[in-house]
Amino acid sequence: MDKTNALRAGALAAGTTLMMLLMTSPALALTRDDGDDPGTGLSVIETLGLYVVAPIVLFLAITGLVMVLDKSHKKKDTTSSNISTTADAKA
């Protein structure tokens, strides 16, 4: 990739990012829509429990279930277990 193409790609990425930032105005969040009925806010403990602890617990529960219910056990190879590799020859 030559210098002009890299410069063009960087300018396009920067311009796209700038336009997206300008079009998403936070001032529109203050205007209520018809039918809005916001509830009470979450406390810090509730927020941490909902967005941090709950996903970790779900991940651990799914991981535990997969490990416990795994049916692919190591299969014992009976044909090679009877073979002795030590030498029986005497000099």
Side-chain angles (χ1 to χ4, degrees):
M1 190 172 193
D2 59 353
K3 194 174 185 177
T4 56
N5 281 345
L7 190 61
R8 185 178 296 147
L12 180 66
T16 304
T17 305
L18 182 65
M19 288 304 294
M20 288 182 70
L21 285 173
L22 290 174
M23 293 177 76
T24 56
S25 174
L28 294 175
L30 297 175
T31 307
R32 290 283 170 88
D33 291 332
D34 291 336
D36 273 355
D37 190 17
T40 59
L42 297 174
S43 69
V44 174
I45 300 298
E46 291 171 335
T47 303
L48 287 175
L50 186 62
Y51 294 108
V52 176
V53 176
I56 291 173
V57 168
L58 281 171
F59 175 78
L60 292 176
I62 292 170
T63 303
L65 285 171
V66 167
M67 289 174 67
V68 167
L69 300 175
D70 185 22
K71 299 290 184 192
S72 62
H73 300 289
K74 274 191 172 178
K75 299 199 185 325
K76 186 176 180 184
D77 189 9
T78 58
T79 58
S80 64
S81 63
N82 298 329
I83 300 174
S84 177
T85 57
T86 59
D88 292 331
K90 294 182 182 173

